[in-house]
């Protein structure tokens, strides 16, 4: 058998290191106390990230607040709970059996700083994400003090790999209008979106 090439050896070493790191993180977060200490350590390592642990471990976690601030962009997740499948880490994928978020708030620069259309920075994740069942109570987007969008009762099933979101089902409500979207969305681009949507509206009831 020929010796492995340098590229192959490096690939195997990278896979081994990733598997070891994943096992270490799961081991460190195997208990509620260890997960709280790990969250505190992460907070100290990167001040842009805030993790407020409530209870549970990494596989069955509950956090009061997860926040990220980078310049004038702030993303806040409130009342977060999840259940993870650890076997997915072997294929460099984070698999959520369930993911429940009470609210997501996105704050950007003030309206005076930028009068152009709203746009988030391009997104490409280093790990793939699969979501079997996800619910989000509300999603709010602000530019300064101006609220640009408010959605509620959001449900999501799908996968995110790199920058491509494959939505098996994305449902949301706004002012009595219900929308269900299926398709693929590349988060590096604002448009176009390859998706199918169904809209329905609640009819007012007579008193």
């Amino acid at each position: 058998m020929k010796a492995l090439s340098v590229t192959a050896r490096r690939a195997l070493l990278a896979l081994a290191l990733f598997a070891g790191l994943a096992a270490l993180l799961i081991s460190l977060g195997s208990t509620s106390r260890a997960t709280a200490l790990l969250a505190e350590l992460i907070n100290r390592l990167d001040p842009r990230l805030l993790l407020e642990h409530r209870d549970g471990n990494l596989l069955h976690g509950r956090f009061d607040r997860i926040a990220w601030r980078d310049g004038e962009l702030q993303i806040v997740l409130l009342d977060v709970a999840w259940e993870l499948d650890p076997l997915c880490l072997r294929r460099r994928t984070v698999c959520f059996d369930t993911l429940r978020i009470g609210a997501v708030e996105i704050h950007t620069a003030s309206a005076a700083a930028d009068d152009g259309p709203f746009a988030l920075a391009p997104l490409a994740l280093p790990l793939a994400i699969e979501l079997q069942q996800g619910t989000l109570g509300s999603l709010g987007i602000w530019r300064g003090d101006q609220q640009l969008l408010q959605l509620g009762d959001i449900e999501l099933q799908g996968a995110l790999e790199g920058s491509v979101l494959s939505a098996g089902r994305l449902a949301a409500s706004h002012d009595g209008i219900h929308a269900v979207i299926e398709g693929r969305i590349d988060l590096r681009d604002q448009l176009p979106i390859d998706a199918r949507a169904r809209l329905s509206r609640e009819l007012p009831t007579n008193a």
Side-chain angles (χ1 to χ4, degrees):
M1 180 181 296
K2 295 182 179 180
L4 291 173
S5 67
V6 174
T7 301
R9 288 198 299 270
R10 288 177 177 174
L12 289 175
L13 178 60
L15 288 174
L17 289 175
F18 178 80
L21 178 60
L24 177 62
L25 288 175
I26 292 175
S27 176
L28 289 174
S30 60
T31 66
S32 179
R33 178 56 179 166
T35 302
L37 292 175
L38 182 60
E40 188 173 324
L41 174 62
I42 294 175
N43 290 338
R44 294 177 181 272
L45 291 176
D46 193 337
R48 295 174 299 177
L49 181 63
L50 174 64
L51 302 174
E52 295 182 0
H53 177 256
R54 182 187 302 173
D55 56 45
N57 56 28
L58 282 183
L59 297 181
H60 306 277
R62 297 184 66 187
F63 286 76
D64 287 325
R65 178 185 176 96
I66 299 176
W68 172 264
R69 177 185 290 275
D70 189 0
E72 295 181 319
L73 173 65
Q74 183 181 23
I75 302 175
V76 180
L77 284 67
L78 302 174
D79 192 15
V80 183
W82 66 68
E83 294 183 3
L84 290 174
D85 181 357
L87 298 180
C88 286
L89 292 174
R90 297 178 180 177
R91 51 186 177 92
R92 298 188 63 183
T93 302
V94 179
C95 295
F96 289 94
D97 291 333
T98 61
L99 175 62
R100 299 186 302 275
I101 304 175
V104 172
E105 300 175 357
I106 301 176
H107 298 265
T108 65
S110 64
D114 182 9
D115 292 329
F118 173 78
L120 290 176
L123 174 65
L125 298 180
L127 295 179
I129 295 177
E130 292 183 2
L131 176 60
Q132 296 296 323
Q133 181 181 6
T135 59
L136 171 57
S138 65
L139 168 64
I141 300 178
W142 283 263
R143 177 185 285 161
D145 296 330
Q146 178 186 4
Q147 187 176 45
L148 302 180
L149 178 68
Q150 181 70 39
L151 298 177
D153 300 327
I154 301 170
E155 300 178 6
L156 175 62
Q157 293 176 334
L160 179 60
E161 184 170 359
S163 65
V164 178
L165 172 64
S166 300
R169 173 183 169 84
L170 173 59
S173 299
H174 175 68
D175 285 344
I177 299 177
H178 303 281
V180 179
I181 299 175
E182 300 173 355
R184 290 167 59 85
I185 303 171
D186 192 335
L187 300 179
R188 290 175 301 186
D189 305 319
Q190 300 300 321
L191 290 173
I193 295 175
D194 179 17
R196 300 172 300 278
R198 298 191 304 274
L199 299 177
S200 62
R201 184 178 181 88
E202 292 181 354
L203 297 177
T205 57
N206 296 325

